[in-house]
Amino acid sequence: DAIVEGNTLLERIADAKKALETANIVAAADITSENVKLDEQAILTAAKTDLQDALDTYSENYTTEEKDAIQEKISRINAALVTISNVEQVIADVAALPEVDKADMEDAKVREAVSNAEDAYSVLSYYEKTLVDNNTKDMEESIGKGYILTREVFGLNDKTRPYAERWIKWANENPDK
């Protein structure tokens, strides 16, 4: 009986160790909020699930230090997921802007959309801003009445470039609006 129980415990300990070595966890091991890429959301989410499942299933087999290390990994993954969410929100805000040639800057909704995009961008960390736009960020012309359009605000990447370039062109051509 003692040998069977011992072998069962050894198998459980081995399973607990394997539970922390899934392909998802290994793939996400070096991803942080300061190096995450937008296309890594799925792997991070899967790794977080695997870590949480390991904690839930094998909690009694981990030491306090091991549990703390698992929680730290989950916290690191959560921070990376927040980075992705923040950047995706800015991209969505920019994409929600009306086309420049159809926009009326006297319209409160248009001004609000521009303001939302600016506000969302302004609270991003430096790294998050690089995810929105890996190009040089330089100030463009004012579109008047305190509304500033910048390449920095509208992040020129593949998803936002068509919207941003139209807004910047319009701002430069219509400084009095």
mmCIF file with all atom_site columns, all heavy atoms in Angstrom, residues 80-92:
data_model
loop_
_atom_site.group_PDB
_atom_site.id
_atom_site.type_symbol
_atom_site.label_atom_id
_atom_site.label_alt_id
_atom_site.label_comp_id
_atom_site.label_asym_id
_atom_site.label_entity_id
_atom_site.label_seq_id
_atom_site.pdbx_PDB_ins_code
_atom_site.Cartn_x
_atom_site.Cartn_y
_atom_site.Cartn_z
_atom_site.occupancy
_atom_site.B_iso_or_equiv
_atom_site.pdbx_formal_charge
_atom_site.auth_seq_id
_atom_site.auth_comp_id
_atom_site.auth_asym_id
_atom_site.auth_atom_id
_atom_site.pdbx_PDB_model_num
ATOM 1  N N   . ALA A 1 80 ? 0.912   41.817 -20.397 1.00 0.00 ? 80 ALA A N   1
ATOM 2  C CA  . ALA A 1 80 ? 1.107   41.781 -21.853 1.00 0.00 ? 80 ALA A CA  1
ATOM 3  C C   . ALA A 1 80 ? -0.250  41.850 -22.570 1.00 0.00 ? 80 ALA A C   1
ATOM 4  O O   . ALA A 1 80 ? -0.388  42.531 -23.597 1.00 0.00 ? 80 ALA A O   1
ATOM 5  C CB  . ALA A 1 80 ? 1.881   40.535 -22.264 1.00 0.00 ? 80 ALA A CB  1
ATOM 6  N N   . LEU A 1 81 ? -1.242  41.169 -22.031 1.00 0.00 ? 81 LEU A N   1
ATOM 7  C CA  . LEU A 1 81 ? -2.586  41.208 -22.632 1.00 0.00 ? 81 LEU A CA  1
ATOM 8  C C   . LEU A 1 81 ? -3.203  42.605 -22.525 1.00 0.00 ? 81 LEU A C   1
ATOM 9  O O   . LEU A 1 81 ? -3.901  43.053 -23.435 1.00 0.00 ? 81 LEU A O   1
ATOM 10 C CB  . LEU A 1 81 ? -3.490  40.154 -21.989 1.00 0.00 ? 81 LEU A CB  1
ATOM 11 C CG  . LEU A 1 81 ? -3.162  38.705 -22.342 1.00 0.00 ? 81 LEU A CG  1
ATOM 12 C CD1 . LEU A 1 81 ? -3.947  37.735 -21.451 1.00 0.00 ? 81 LEU A CD1 1
ATOM 13 C CD2 . LEU A 1 81 ? -3.433  38.425 -23.815 1.00 0.00 ? 81 LEU A CD2 1
ATOM 14 N N   . VAL A 1 82 ? -2.936  43.308 -21.440 1.00 0.00 ? 82 VAL A N   1
ATOM 15 C CA  . VAL A 1 82 ? -3.410  44.684 -21.291 1.00 0.00 ? 82 VAL A CA  1
ATOM 16 C C   . VAL A 1 82 ? -2.753  45.574 -22.347 1.00 0.00 ? 82 VAL A C   1
ATOM 17 O O   . VAL A 1 82 ? -3.413  46.429 -22.954 1.00 0.00 ? 82 VAL A O   1
ATOM 18 C CB  . VAL A 1 82 ? -3.154  45.218 -19.857 1.00 0.00 ? 82 VAL A CB  1
ATOM 19 C CG1 . VAL A 1 82 ? -3.325  46.726 -19.783 1.00 0.00 ? 82 VAL A CG1 1
ATOM 20 C CG2 . VAL A 1 82 ? -4.074  44.530 -18.863 1.00 0.00 ? 82 VAL A CG2 1
ATOM 21 N N   . THR A 1 83 ? -1.468  45.366 -22.587 1.00 0.00 ? 83 THR A N   1
ATOM 22 C CA  . THR A 1 83 ? -0.771  46.130 -23.629 1.00 0.00 ? 83 THR A CA  1
ATOM 23 C C   . THR A 1 83 ? -1.461  45.930 -24.977 1.00 0.00 ? 83 THR A C   1
ATOM 24 O O   . THR A 1 83 ? -1.740  46.903 -25.687 1.00 0.00 ? 83 THR A O   1
ATOM 25 C CB  . THR A 1 83 ? 0.711   45.715 -23.711 1.00 0.00 ? 83 THR A CB  1
ATOM 26 O OG1 . THR A 1 83 ? 1.360   46.102 -22.492 1.00 0.00 ? 83 THR A OG1 1
ATOM 27 C CG2 . THR A 1 83 ? 1.416   46.345 -24.899 1.00 0.00 ? 83 THR A CG2 1
ATOM 28 N N   . ILE A 1 84 ? -1.741  44.683 -25.314 1.00 0.00 ? 84 ILE A N   1
ATOM 29 C CA  . ILE A 1 84 ? -2.422  44.398 -26.584 1.00 0.00 ? 84 ILE A CA  1
ATOM 30 C C   . ILE A 1 84 ? -3.787  45.081 -26.623 1.00 0.00 ? 84 ILE A C   1
ATOM 31 O O   . ILE A 1 84 ? -4.153  45.713 -27.615 1.00 0.00 ? 84 ILE A O   1
ATOM 32 C CB  . ILE A 1 84 ? -2.564  42.876 -26.800 1.00 0.00 ? 84 ILE A CB  1
ATOM 33 C CG1 . ILE A 1 84 ? -1.186  42.253 -27.048 1.00 0.00 ? 84 ILE A CG1 1
ATOM 34 C CG2 . ILE A 1 84 ? -3.516  42.570 -27.950 1.00 0.00 ? 84 ILE A CG2 1
ATOM 35 C CD1 . ILE A 1 84 ? -1.180  40.732 -27.042 1.00 0.00 ? 84 ILE A CD1 1
ATOM 36 N N   . SER A 1 85 ? -4.533  44.991 -25.556 1.00 0.00 ? 85 SER A N   1
ATOM 37 C CA  . SER A 1 85 ? -5.862  45.593 -25.494 1.00 0.00 ? 85 SER A CA  1
ATOM 38 C C   . SER A 1 85 ? -5.791  47.110 -25.660 1.00 0.00 ? 85 SER A C   1
ATOM 39 O O   . SER A 1 85 ? -6.598  47.702 -26.403 1.00 0.00 ? 85 SER A O   1
ATOM 40 C CB  . SER A 1 85 ? -6.518  45.240 -24.159 1.00 0.00 ? 85 SER A CB  1
ATOM 41 O OG  . SER A 1 85 ? -7.759  45.883 -24.032 1.00 0.00 ? 85 SER A OG  1
ATOM 42 N N   . ASN A 1 86 ? -4.836  47.745 -25.000 1.00 0.00 ? 86 ASN A N   1
ATOM 43 C CA  . ASN A 1 86 ? -4.684  49.199 -25.111 1.00 0.00 ? 86 ASN A CA  1
ATOM 44 C C   . ASN A 1 86 ? -4.407  49.614 -26.554 1.00 0.00 ? 86 ASN A C   1
ATOM 45 O O   . ASN A 1 86 ? -4.996  50.573 -27.061 1.00 0.00 ? 86 ASN A O   1
ATOM 46 C CB  . ASN A 1 86 ? -3.549  49.687 -24.210 1.00 0.00 ? 86 ASN A CB  1
ATOM 47 C CG  . ASN A 1 86 ? -3.877  49.579 -22.734 1.00 0.00 ? 86 ASN A CG  1
ATOM 48 O OD1 . ASN A 1 86 ? -5.021  49.409 -22.344 1.00 0.00 ? 86 ASN A OD1 1
ATOM 49 N ND2 . ASN A 1 86 ? -2.854  49.668 -21.913 1.00 0.00 ? 86 ASN A ND2 1
ATOM 50 N N   . VAL A 1 87 ? -3.504  48.907 -27.205 1.00 0.00 ? 87 VAL A N   1
ATOM 51 C CA  . VAL A 1 87 ? -3.126  49.239 -28.580 1.00 0.00 ? 87 VAL A CA  1
ATOM 52 C C   . VAL A 1 87 ? -4.301  48.987 -29.520 1.00 0.00 ? 87 VAL A C   1
ATOM 53 O O   . VAL A 1 87 ? -4.595  49.809 -30.397 1.00 0.00 ? 87 VAL A O   1
ATOM 54 C CB  . VAL A 1 87 ? -1.879  48.443 -29.008 1.00 0.00 ? 87 VAL A CB  1
ATOM 55 C CG1 . VAL A 1 87 ? -1.611  48.587 -30.495 1.00 0.00 ? 87 VAL A CG1 1
ATOM 56 C CG2 . VAL A 1 87 ? -0.674  48.900 -28.187 1.00 0.00 ? 87 VAL A CG2 1
ATOM 57 N N   . GLU A 1 88 ? -4.990  47.880 -29.344 1.00 0.00 ? 88 GLU A N   1
ATOM 58 C CA  . GLU A 1 88 ? -6.133  47.584 -30.200 1.00 0.00 ? 88 GLU A CA  1
ATOM 59 C C   . GLU A 1 88 ? -7.235  48.624 -30.035 1.00 0.00 ? 88 GLU A C   1
ATOM 60 O O   . GLU A 1 88 ? -7.935  48.948 -30.996 1.00 0.00 ? 88 GLU A O   1
ATOM 61 C CB  . GLU A 1 88 ? -6.648  46.173 -29.933 1.00 0.00 ? 88 GLU A CB  1
ATOM 62 C CG  . GLU A 1 88 ? -5.708  45.118 -30.478 1.00 0.00 ? 88 GLU A CG  1
ATOM 63 C CD  . GLU A 1 88 ? -6.164  43.693 -30.214 1.00 0.00 ? 88 GLU A CD  1
ATOM 64 O OE1 . GLU A 1 88 ? -7.028  43.471 -29.334 1.00 0.00 ? 88 GLU A OE1 1
ATOM 65 O OE2 . GLU A 1 88 ? -5.632  42.790 -30.888 1.00 0.00 ? 88 GLU A OE2 1
ATOM 66 N N   . GLN A 1 89 ? -7.382  49.174 -28.831 1.00 0.00 ? 89 GLN A N   1
ATOM 67 C CA  . GLN A 1 89 ? -8.386  50.216 -28.603 1.00 0.00 ? 89 GLN A CA  1
ATOM 68 C C   . GLN A 1 89 ? -8.054  51.469 -29.407 1.00 0.00 ? 89 GLN A C   1
ATOM 69 O O   . GLN A 1 89 ? -8.931  52.080 -30.020 1.00 0.00 ? 89 GLN A O   1
ATOM 70 C CB  . GLN A 1 89 ? -8.509  50.560 -27.121 1.00 0.00 ? 89 GLN A CB  1
ATOM 71 C CG  . GLN A 1 89 ? -9.560  51.615 -26.837 1.00 0.00 ? 89 GLN A CG  1
ATOM 72 C CD  . GLN A 1 89 ? -10.946 51.174 -27.259 1.00 0.00 ? 89 GLN A CD  1
ATOM 73 O OE1 . GLN A 1 89 ? -11.407 50.113 -26.867 1.00 0.00 ? 89 GLN A OE1 1
ATOM 74 N NE2 . GLN A 1 89 ? -11.632 51.981 -28.063 1.00 0.00 ? 89 GLN A NE2 1
ATOM 75 N N   . VAL A 1 90 ? -6.783  51.855 -29.420 1.00 0.00 ? 90 VAL A N   1
ATOM 76 C CA  . VAL A 1 90 ? -6.382  53.039 -30.200 1.00 0.00 ? 90 VAL A CA  1
ATOM 77 C C   . VAL A 1 90 ? -6.618  52.791 -31.681 1.00 0.00 ? 90 VAL A C   1
ATOM 78 O O   . VAL A 1 90 ? -7.147  53.652 -32.390 1.00 0.00 ? 90 VAL A O   1
ATOM 79 C CB  . VAL A 1 90 ? -4.907  53.411 -29.924 1.00 0.00 ? 90 VAL A CB  1
ATOM 80 C CG1 . VAL A 1 90 ? -4.414  54.453 -30.915 1.00 0.00 ? 90 VAL A CG1 1
ATOM 81 C CG2 . VAL A 1 90 ? -4.758  53.914 -28.498 1.00 0.00 ? 90 VAL A CG2 1
ATOM 82 N N   . ILE A 1 91 ? -6.239  51.629 -32.153 1.00 0.00 ? 91 ILE A N   1
ATOM 83 C CA  . ILE A 1 91 ? -6.451  51.297 -33.564 1.00 0.00 ? 91 ILE A CA  1
ATOM 84 C C   . ILE A 1 91 ? -7.940  51.348 -33.896 1.00 0.00 ? 91 ILE A C   1
ATOM 85 O O   . ILE A 1 91 ? -8.334  51.883 -34.933 1.00 0.00 ? 91 ILE A O   1
ATOM 86 C CB  . ILE A 1 91 ? -5.820  49.935 -33.901 1.00 0.00 ? 91 ILE A CB  1
ATOM 87 C CG1 . ILE A 1 91 ? -4.287  50.043 -33.831 1.00 0.00 ? 91 ILE A CG1 1
ATOM 88 C CG2 . ILE A 1 91 ? -6.268  49.444 -35.273 1.00 0.00 ? 91 ILE A CG2 1
ATOM 89 C CD1 . ILE A 1 91 ? -3.551  48.713 -33.899 1.00 0.00 ? 91 ILE A CD1 1
ATOM 90 N N   . ALA A 1 92 ? -8.782  50.840 -33.000 1.00 0.00 ? 92 ALA A N   1
ATOM 91 C CA  . ALA A 1 92 ? -10.229 50.878 -33.217 1.00 0.00 ? 92 ALA A CA  1
ATOM 92 C C   . ALA A 1 92 ? -10.754 52.318 -33.215 1.00 0.00 ? 92 ALA A C   1
ATOM 93 O O   . ALA A 1 92 ? -11.613 52.671 -34.030 1.00 0.00 ? 92 ALA A O   1
ATOM 94 C CB  . ALA A 1 92 ? -10.948 50.055 -32.151 1.00 0.00 ? 92 ALA A CB  1
#
